[in-house]
Each structure stands twice: as C-alpha cells, then as structure tokens.
Amino acid sequence: MSAEAIPADARTGGLARLLEPRSIAIVGAQPEPTSIGGGVLANLEAFGFDGEIHLVSRSKDEIRGRPCVKTIADLPAGLDVAVLIVPQAVIAESVEAAIARQVGAIVIYTSGFAEASDEGRRQQEELARLCDDAGVLLLGPNCMGYTNYTRGIPLTFEPVEPRPAGPAPRVAIVAQSGATAANIRFALQGRGVAISDVVATGNEASIGAEDVIAHELADPGNAVIAVYVEQLRDPRRFLELAREARQAGRPIVMLHPGRSARGRKAALSHTGALAGDHAVMQALARAEGVVVVDTLDEMFDVCAILVRFPRPRPGRAGIVTNSGAIRGLAFDFCEEVGLPLAELAPDVHAQLTEQVPPYVAVDNPFDVGTTGFSNPDIFGASARIMLSDPGVGMVLQAHAGGSPPMQVKKAESMLPVYREADKPLILCIIGDEYPLDETFMNMVRDSGIPFFRSPERAMRAMKVIADHAEALAALDRPQAEPLPVALPRGGVLPEHEGKDVLRALDVPVPDGAFATSADEAAAIAARLGGPVVLKAQAADLGHKSDAGGVLLNLSGEAAVRDGWDRLHANLAKAAPDLRLDGVLVERMAEPGLELVVGARRDPDWGPVILVGLGGVWIEALKDSRLMPATIDRAGALAELGRLRAAPLLGAFRGQPARDTGAVADVIVALGRLMRAQPGILEVDINPLVVHADGAVALDALIVTEAP
C-alpha cells in the first residue's frame, strides 16, 4: 500500500500531534550533547520543553538525571512522537515496535534509504506502508526533524539556539534538505525576521512538503511560507495550496533546483526524488502566485521583503540614492535584470524638485547628492513622495552610510515612512561587510525594514517582487472560458483533421481541402487558383517532408496530377507499408516570420502552452516561453515580449512589425482547448507564420488519448 493509504487531509490534520507534541520518546538516547541522540535531548532541555520526555537506551539506566527504559516495548502507550535514532538495519523493527505502542507519529533521521539505492527505496516504501496502515504519521527518513519556535519544541539533532518565535508576521520554513532549512533560518533570523516553524521533510516516505505547507497555512501568523523542494510529490495538490495561499494573501516562496540536467540528477541522488519537468513546474507554479526564486540569496531577500509586504501591487521601481555612481549603475543593472524604472508623475517630480537645490536634476533614480548633510529629513521625505506615485510599486533607498551620527539620522528619517508604507520600501547601505553603527543597526533590526548591503541584490529581489505583483494582477483578470471542440478520433490526428480542430478555434489555416484521388486534387487546385501545395495525410506519417510527402508551388492541372503521382511514388519508396488517408491540397502561403506554438499536458502538472521561433531555431537557440493554459491575451503578449527573439516581432530591417495580437489569440485559443478537452495530450503548430496583419497555421499535429 502506498503513502496514499492515509488521505492527504488526514495527514495534514494529524500534523499538530507531530509538530506540537506533549509527549516525546527518544529511542537511542545518549548522554553526549554532541551526539545525535544527545543533541535532541539537549535541544528540548534548552528550550524548556515542559511535556513528557521518555528515553530508550539499551546501555544506560539514566541520562542527565532522566530514567531510561531498555526497549520501545517498555514505553507508555499512546505517546505523541517517537524519534528513532537507531541504525538503518533495525529501523523497520523499531517502527513496528513503536506502532505496537500506539505512538501518534515517528521521526526518522537515519539515512540509507531511497536516496541511496533501489533496495533502500524498497525498504522506505515498506516503512511508509507500515505507518500508513496503522494511521501513524512518518517524518523522514533521512531528515533533520523540525523546530517549532512558536511552541518551543526543537525536535532536531542540529544544535538550535533557544529564542522566541517573535510576533507575527512570521515565516514558516519547509525544506526537503535539513541543511538548506537551517541556512534559510540563519539568514532570516540574522535579519530579525520572526520564524514560526522550520520543518525538514527529508525523503518524504509519507509526510511530504505539501502536507506541511497545508499545516502552516492554517496558522494566520505565517505571512510567508518559504519552501525548498527537490521534487513535489503531489503537484496538483501543491497548486491547490498555492491558490489557497494566494487568496489568503500569504505567498509561498519556493526554491526548486533542476533547471539544468545535472541539477535534476543531483536532486535524484539527494532525496531519491524522480525529477519532473522543471520548466513546466515554474510556469504553472508562478501562474498560481507562487514566488519561484532561482538562488538562495533570492530566497533570503524576497522573504525578508514579502514578510512585511505580502501583497505587492503592480508598479515600476523607484530608487533614491546619494551617489551619482549608484544612480548610473542602477540604470545598467535594472536593464540587465529587467526591472523597469518608473517615469515619475508630474506632481511627484515637482515635489522632489522642491527638496533639492536648483542645480540638482530630478529623475528616477533620484540622486539627492549632498543635500542630506544639511537636510537629513530628505531621506524620509523623498521616500514618502516617491511612494505616493501611482506608477511606483516599490522604492529602494540605496545610500552611502556616512558617519555613525549620519547613519542614525538616516534611520530616524526613513523608518517612520517605512512603518506607514503600504508598498515595499527597502533600505540599502552600501559598503559590503564594513561595520555600521551599532545604534543604527539596532534601529534597523528592530524596525523590520528589508535591509541590504548590496544594491544589486536588492534590485534583483525587487525584480522578483515586481514579477510576482504582475502575476497576482493577471490572476485578478477574468479568464476566457474553456472551449470544447469535437475530436474526430483518438490517437494521432492527421494534419487535415488537426486543422479542422484549429478552424473550430478560429485559428486561421490556409484555404484548401482533403482529396482522395488525383481528380479531386485537380478540382480543388482549380478552385483555389494559383500555386498549391500537396501534403500526404496519414496518422502514422509524422514527418511528411522527410518521406517526400510534401510538394510545393504546383501550378496548373498537369502539375498537380504529376505531383500526385510523384508524392505517392516517394511514399511507396520511403514507407512502403504506410497506408495513406489521402492528400491535403492547400493554397501556397505567403512567407513570413515562422513561430511554433504548441501545447502539452504534463501528467503531473497539467496543460501548458509553448511559443518560440519556428523550425529548428527553437531547439538551436533554446528560446521559448512556457505559459499556463489559463493565460489571457495580455499575458500572452507579455510572454511574447520576453522572447530573446522578440525584436524580430517588431519592425526589423525594413520589415513591418508582426501581428503579435494574432499570435496571442492563437495561444489563448490553445489554452481554452486544453482546459476543455482533457483527452488532448499534445498540440503542435509548426510553423505559425506571422505577417503584419495576421497569422496562419501551416501545419498542425494533435495527439489525443488512444481510443
């Protein structure tokens, strides 16, 4: 039986007993605080855990004044959690013994399971079966446990410093890697961010990241859920949780390795996860409001901003500095990372102009120059004025620190503005590791203002926040309804049937018709007039051109009849066993910019839409964009603008601008189709030829579930 023997909602509902226990058994307890068994006990004592602690040790009668029993069978029945610190070889029998004593949950730190070998995976699955059949929650194996700061329960062997969780808003940390969970905790605590829980799920034999995320979303004090995963076991449930988190205004910030082939391999060896399609995950997670970050630095920085400003609004960046060099560098870096700078509203420009001498040019970034020496209030005033601009979504104050008294004056000026701000206000004091005034740093930490020493890191985080704000705004726009279209058959549809589906979606295709004889082909060509193309049609003929099944520029009846014979002769030679359905006769299309637009249904994540340059270029240049099937026209246009080849869609080398709106309409239509027809597995329009006033699908492949 799989881990699904315990339904997801039951696992989540029981997590309070695992993460908030009142009785704990440490199986394999040891006296040395530096050992794993001793470390768990030392942490519990350091945090002043006031529940029951039971120790199991074959060699000790007591540890630090606490009595020990020899076996799990000697424990009281019905304890909340048993922590198993025993060799891998005896884990299974220890689990069975704990189940017999009716424990509520089991935590296994021991490694050597699915991350190590196929046999280890089999043993891990058996542990999950034992626990699930008994209704016992299992955290791990190969995990570092958790620390519940809100309740003061550190059930981990990692040395953890006792500290209160701190007032809301807080961040909850969920990670498959214990070391990464600790690193996120260190970084956020170093910035003064309050932490509620840190849960390391390890190999996730039963309890997975999705279960813990659901538990953390139930705590209204959690403003942000920071997630590190190497594989999501239940993608559909994760997307549901992301939707719930978004609707509650409590974002999930996720770091997920696997963008590279070697990264996917590392994830497999680390947790025994089976890597999925990383690009699909990113597209669909972001579409549900998940903040997907690419680095640990981004995780630290974005969480520090969102815990204070969890509902950012769309808008461009505003920057205030007292350094002309930072102003110039900001222009360059914002362009590099794609962070748009706001054009200041006229009244905002006028108000900022009043703050500085006449010789100071007012722009964004706004360089106050030396004004701060004579008027320190300008730091707060400039932030307040720029935040009032409707086109500004967030403001970065990036300054040289100055003397200790000047640092304090900067804080006294800016922090009141921060406390009243409803848009992200971020402070950066340049100088890397150079120490700052202690009074200033205490003011910054106590305030909770997002604080940086690198303006580049701050701007990179702002780009992530800006993208997240745009994604949230897109989710507020109404979605086009799914569009069901009748499918002629199951399996692979030949091109002419695929184009019938496209016509039903109002996707333009060349004028033409299907012929089953040379006479029909000649009649169709005569009706079309001008040059035509003949295309062999069969469900089993995937690459028509390679088999000589496409003939171009045929004009006149004789050429069409001759083409009919040549096409059949080509196929008889290239694929003698192939049975043709017939031949598609179409008017030759005008040349234009070729794109590929496609859709596919990921078995784990659901449908996605793809667009990129057509032909071989999409593979050669790796220039494509993935989108959710729910994307609207505005979102599709934005994605087209993010292609590296986007300049080709505009006026280029004497060519007119291409009709990107027509391409966006095709993207939206495919999304509507994929949402309406779960039996469609794949759609490939290659090429979609784009002109100045429209687009036309020259080829179409549709794959559906086999009948």
Side-chain angles (χ1 to χ4, degrees):
M1 188 176 297
S2 71
E4 291 303 316
I6 300 181
D9 56 352
R11 290 201 304 274
T12 301
L15 277 180
R17 192 173 184 189
L18 168 66
L19 300 178
E20 303 171 13
R22 301 309 306 152
S23 55
I24 297 169
I26 303 175
V27 181
Q30 298 166 293
E32 300 83 4
T34 55
S35 66
I36 293 179
V40 177
L41 178 58
N43 281 333
L44 289 169
E45 291 180 339
F47 272 66
F49 177 69
D50 59 0
E52 300 175 25
I53 299 178
H54 300 268
L55 306 181
V56 178
S57 173
R58 293 188 181 276
S59 60
K60 304 293 183 182
D61 294 326
E62 63 87 23
I63 294 176
R64 296 208 289 271
R66 296 179 181 273
C68 301
V69 298
K70 298 300 181 184
T71 68
I72 295 174
D74 298 323
L75 290 169
L79 298 179
D80 288 329
V81 178
V83 182
L84 303 185
I85 309 168
V86 299
Q88 198 262 5
V90 296
I91 282 288
E93 63 185 72
S94 299
V95 167
E96 290 176 330
I99 290 172
R101 297 309 295 153
Q102 301 172 2
V103 300
I106 295 172
V107 179
I108 302 176
Y109 304 138
T110 309
S111 58
F113 290 93
E115 83 286 356
S117 66
D118 290 341
E119 174 57 21
R121 179 177 293 279
R122 187 199 65 76
Q123 294 173 3
Q124 178 176 302
E125 291 171 349
E126 177 61 15
L127 296 179
R129 185 194 65 78
L130 289 170
C131 290
D132 292 343
D133 287 352
V136 173
L137 299 179
L138 171 60
L139 183 64
N142 187 32
C143 77
M144 286 179 61
Y146 65 84
T147 299
N148 180 337
Y149 284 98
T150 308
R151 299 286 192 274
I153 308 172
L155 211 58
T156 178
F157 57 86
E158 173 203 10
V160 184
E161 178 186 353
R163 65 165 66 202
R170 294 184 286 265
V171 174
I173 301 169
V174 183
Q176 290 169 343
S177 162
T180 303
N183 289 331
I184 298 171
R185 169 173 61 86
F186 292 147
L188 295 181
Q189 287 178 336
R191 293 182 175 212
V193 175
I195 306 293
S196 59
D197 291 321
V198 182
V199 184
T201 57
N203 284 13
E204 299 188 351
S206 180
I207 296 296
E210 298 90 340
D211 301 309
V212 184
I213 292 168
H215 174 82
E216 299 300 342
L217 284 174
D219 181 353
N222 288 329
V224 175
I225 315 294
V227 177
Y228 173 84
V229 288
E230 292 159 353
Q231 177 67 22
L232 287 158
R233 266 62 175 184
D234 192 345
R236 304 296 177 93
R237 185 179 179 218
F238 174 76
L239 293 178
E240 292 172 1
L241 292 168
R243 191 174 305 119
E244 178 184 335
R246 169 172 51 82
Q247 292 169 349
R250 290 184 279 154
I252 295 172
V253 181
M254 181 170 67
L255 176 60
H256 189 314
R259 284 179 294 160
S260 66
R262 295 185 70 179
R264 290 189 292 273
K265 185 176 180 181
L268 177 63
S269 62
H270 191 184
T271 64
L274 297 174
D277 190 317
H278 191 271
V280 171
M281 176 280 299
Q282 281 194 321
L284 296 188
R286 283 178 169 141
E288 282 296 350
V290 176
V291 188
V292 182
V293 295
D294 292 331
T295 68
L296 278 170
D297 284 348
E298 286 184 3
M299 169 66 82
F300 306 152
D301 300 341
V302 169
C303 284
I305 298 171
L306 287 179
V307 72
R308 172 62 177 84
F309 302 99
R311 294 177 185 260
R313 301 195 295 270
R316 297 183 168 223
I319 299 176
V320 181
T321 183
N322 60 357
S323 165
I326 293 301
R327 178 177 181 271
L329 291 169
F331 279 120
D332 294 342
F333 193 77
C334 286
E335 181 175 310
E336 179 182 329
V337 301
L339 175 64
L341 290 165
E343 293 287 338
L344 298 178
D347 62 324
V348 170
H349 189 279
Q351 292 178 62
L352 291 175
T353 300
E354 295 175 358
Q355 300 293 316
V356 292
Y359 59 82
V360 175
V362 174
D363 196 359
N364 180 31
F366 176 39
D367 175 16
V368 303
T370 60
T371 308
F373 286 102
S374 58
N375 177 24
D377 287 343
I378 193 173
F379 298 108
S382 59
R384 182 179 286 108
I385 293 168
M386 198 169 276
L387 284 168
S388 72
D389 192 318
V392 171
M394 67 194 81
V395 170
L396 169 66
Q397 290 264 356
H399 300 292
S403 67
M406 181 56 72
Q407 294 172 29
V408 173
K409 288 179 181 178
K410 284 184 172 72
E412 290 173 341
S413 176
M414 282 185 280
L415 293 183
V417 181
Y418 162 73
R419 284 190 285 269
E420 67 186 34
D422 60 357
K423 301 176 184 178
L425 176 59
I426 299 160
L427 174 59
C428 173
I429 299 297
I430 303 159
D432 199 24
E433 296 298 321
Y434 188 80
L436 298 173
D437 177 71
E438 184 177 355
T439 300
F440 168 82
M441 286 306 304
N442 288 336
M443 294 173 70
V444 167
R445 289 195 185 97
D446 291 345
S447 73
I449 189 170
F451 180 68
F452 292 77
R453 298 302 305 272
S454 161
E456 288 83 5
R457 273 186 64 168
M459 286 183 276
R460 196 178 294 278
M462 291 168 70
K463 163 63 174 171
V464 176
I465 301 292
D467 287 348
H468 176 55
E470 291 292 340
L472 293 179
L475 285 162
D476 289 336
R477 299 195 294 262
Q479 293 180 359
E481 292 296 321
L483 182 59
V485 173
L487 300 176
R489 68 173 90 181
V492 179
L493 302 187
E495 179 186 352
H496 70 284
E497 292 183 348
K499 284 182 172 175
D500 288 341
V501 174
L502 295 186
R503 287 189 186 93
L505 295 173
D506 290 330
V507 173
V509 299
D511 192 8
F514 181 68
T516 57
S517 69
D519 290 341
E520 288 182 358
I524 294 168
R527 176 180 64 80
L528 295 175
V532 298
V533 55
L534 302 185
K535 296 183 178 182
Q537 300 292 293
D540 295 332
L541 186 59
H543 299 284
K544 298 183 287 290
S545 297
D546 293 347
V550 178
L551 299 179
L552 306 175
N553 277 315
L554 303 178
S555 297
E557 179 178 349
V560 171
R561 289 183 179 277
D562 176 69
W564 180 277
D565 293 337
R566 281 192 292 122
L567 182 145
H568 282 76
N570 291 343
L571 290 170
K573 181 178 179 180
D577 296 329
L578 179 72
R579 180 176 178 180
L580 278 185
D581 296 336
V583 175
L584 180 60
V585 184
E586 289 183 335
R587 178 179 287 119
M588 282 289 298
E590 294 293 326
L593 180 67
E594 295 188 359
L595 299 181
V596 55
V597 179
R600 75 179 179 89
R601 191 173 305 279
D602 185 274
D604 295 322
W605 289 93
V608 289
I609 312 299
L610 175 143
V611 64
L613 281 180
V616 299
W617 296 112
I618 191 169
E619 296 180 12
L621 300 180
K622 302 188 185 314
D623 183 21
S624 63
R625 301 295 301 179
L626 275 178
M627 295 156 274
T630 54
I631 197 157
D632 63 4
R633 195 173 193 268
L637 285 168
E639 290 295 337
L640 287 169
R642 294 185 180 106
L643 286 167
R644 290 197 295 273
L648 297 178
L649 293 168
F652 187 77
R653 288 185 170 248
Q655 294 292 323
R658 311 294 173 161
D659 190 348
T660 53
V663 181
D665 290 338
V666 174
I667 290 169
V668 172
L670 286 191
R672 297 178 67 192
L673 175 68
M674 295 298 286
R675 286 187 285 133
Q677 301 287 109
I680 296 180
L681 304 180
E682 183 179 351
V683 178
D684 187 39
I685 301 174
N686 188 10
L688 178 76
V689 175
V690 191
H691 303 110
D693 58 351
V696 60
L698 295 195
D699 201 354
L701 171 69
I702 298 179
V703 181
T704 70
E705 291 180 340

